[in-house]
């Protein structure tokens, strides 16, 4: 990685890296290589970006290109020794992510947006090459608003909005789950108690109790659907000694 500081507030950077993953064929009789480890899966990531940090506002813009090997079951997989677990091409993720924050007196704003172009490449099953990988949302937006209550020192109110685009459930993109948006609200209050700082937090996630499928991973010929968490209340207390 490398960086260049254009001004005290503005910086550009570029990075390159590899990741290592492992995969093992399930120890079942349907697999010709049951219980065997697959060759090491190496992912590669290139990223360039521009970032500015100031007292009143900040922003960043990042472009990235990630290529990640995909392990898949090849064969009929409906009887003994009809299935082989192997590396089957890759998933390439190219995208742009933008984020920013601003402080306007008692009000603070923070947000981010992601645009992603994800595609399958090099699969033995040529019908899925060029398709979007399963369980990948290609759009997401996050927004957080904060308000410092002047009449109550140390009290801040917050609201968070999260949106994720639709995801394909099957590798051939024949079925998908819809996008979803949630709203959350919270409050944090900092007080001094006997010379120690006490931080109180309380909030409600998924305030409107939105019902949706959050994720849909596809593995070993099965789809696993994970529901979005229902309306959830939370509270915590932290003290600095």
């Amino acid at each position: 990685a490398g960086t260049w500081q254009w001004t005290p507030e503005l910086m550009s950077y570029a990075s390159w890296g590899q990741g290592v993953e492992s995969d093992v064929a399930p120890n079942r009789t349907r697999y010709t290589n049951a219980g065997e480890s697959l060759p090491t899966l190496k992912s590669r990531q290139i990223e360039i970006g521009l970032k500015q940090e100031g007292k009143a506002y900040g922003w960043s813009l990042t472009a990235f290109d990630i290529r990640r090997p995909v392990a898949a079951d090849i064969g009929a997989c409906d009887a003994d020794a009809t299935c082989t677990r192997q590396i089957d091409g890759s998933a390439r993720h190219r995208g742009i992510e933008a984020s920013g924050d601003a402080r306007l007196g008692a009000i603070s704003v923070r947000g981010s947006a992601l645009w992603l172009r994800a595609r399958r490449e090099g699969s033995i099953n040529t019908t899925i090459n060029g398709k979007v990988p399963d369980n990948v949302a290609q759009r997401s937006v996050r927004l957080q608003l904060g308000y410092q209550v002047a009449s109550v020192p140390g009290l801040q109110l917050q609201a968070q909005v999260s949106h994720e685009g639709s995801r394909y459930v099957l590798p051939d993109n024949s079925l998908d789950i819809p996008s979803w948006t949630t709203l959350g609200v919270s409050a944090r209050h900092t007080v001094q108690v006997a010379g120690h700082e006490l931080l109180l937090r309380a909030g409600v996630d998924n305030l409107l109790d939105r019902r949706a499928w959050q994720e849909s991973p596809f593995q070993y010929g099965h789809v696993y659907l994970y529901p979005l968490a229902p309306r959830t209340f939370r509270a915590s207390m932290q003290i600095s000694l």
Side-chain angles (χ1 to χ4, degrees):
T3 64
W4 183 268
Q5 197 76 38
W6 297 92
T7 70
E9 296 180 343
L10 181 63
M11 178 189 75
S12 60
Y13 67 92
S15 67
W16 177 92
Q18 279 192 335
V20 177
E21 300 178 48
S22 62
D23 200 295
V24 178
N27 195 19
R28 301 184 63 184
T29 57
R30 72 174 58 177
Y31 288 91
T32 60
N33 56 344
E36 296 181 11
S37 297
L38 273 60
T40 301
L41 286 73
K42 288 186 177 181
S43 60
R44 183 268 296 155
Q45 176 171 333
I46 299 172
E47 183 176 319
I48 58 173
L50 195 62
K51 180 184 297 186
Q52 178 161 339
E53 289 291 342
K55 293 182 179 180
Y57 68 93
W59 58 267
S60 68
L61 183 64
T62 304
F64 57 87
D65 186 341
I66 303 170
R67 191 187 300 273
R68 179 173 177 265
V70 175
D73 295 341
I74 306 301
C77 300
D78 56 359
D80 289 354
T82 61
C83 199
T84 301
R85 185 75 175 172
Q86 66 183 61
I87 299 175
D88 184 39
S90 61
R92 189 174 185 184
H93 297 235
R94 289 173 285 183
I96 297 174
E97 184 173 16
S99 65
D101 64 87
R103 293 159 291 282
L104 308 170
I107 299 174
S108 62
V109 182
R110 182 187 301 271
S112 66
L114 172 69
W115 175 86
L116 179 66
R117 186 182 190 276
R119 295 293 185 270
R120 284 284 274 118
E121 298 179 345
S123 173
I124 293 175
N125 180 5
T126 57
T127 62
I128 68 173
N129 288 327
K131 301 289 187 181
V132 179
D134 55 90
N135 195 33
V136 173
Q138 298 192 96
R139 308 287 185 274
S140 67
V141 178
R142 304 281 187 270
L143 180 64
Q144 178 177 296
L145 300 176
Y147 178 70
Q148 200 76 37
V149 182
S151 59
V152 184
L155 176 62
Q156 185 181 47
L157 306 179
Q158 296 179 332
Q160 306 88 25
V161 178
S162 297
H163 171 81
E164 286 207 9
S166 59
R167 297 169 184 251
Y168 285 108
V169 174
L170 299 175
D172 64 2
N173 293 178
S174 60
L175 184 66
D176 66 352
I177 54 177
S179 61
W180 52 265
T181 302
T182 60
L183 170 66
V185 294
S186 60
R188 52 179 291 158
H189 191 199
T190 303
V191 295
Q192 296 293 324
V193 178
H196 300 288
E197 185 177 87
L198 182 65
L199 176 59
L200 305 173
R201 294 189 182 96
V204 184
D205 299 326
N206 194 4
L207 178 66
L208 303 179
D209 203 19
R210 175 81 161 87
R211 301 302 176 94
W213 296 115
Q214 184 173 13
E215 292 194 51
S216 58
F218 181 88
Q219 192 174 37
Y220 308 123
H222 296 81
V223 175
Y224 300 86
L225 293 175
Y226 293 95
L228 193 66
R231 183 187 296 118
T232 303
F233 298 88
R234 54 184 170 82
S236 67
M237 179 178 68
Q238 177 181 321
I239 187 168
S240 299
L241 301 177

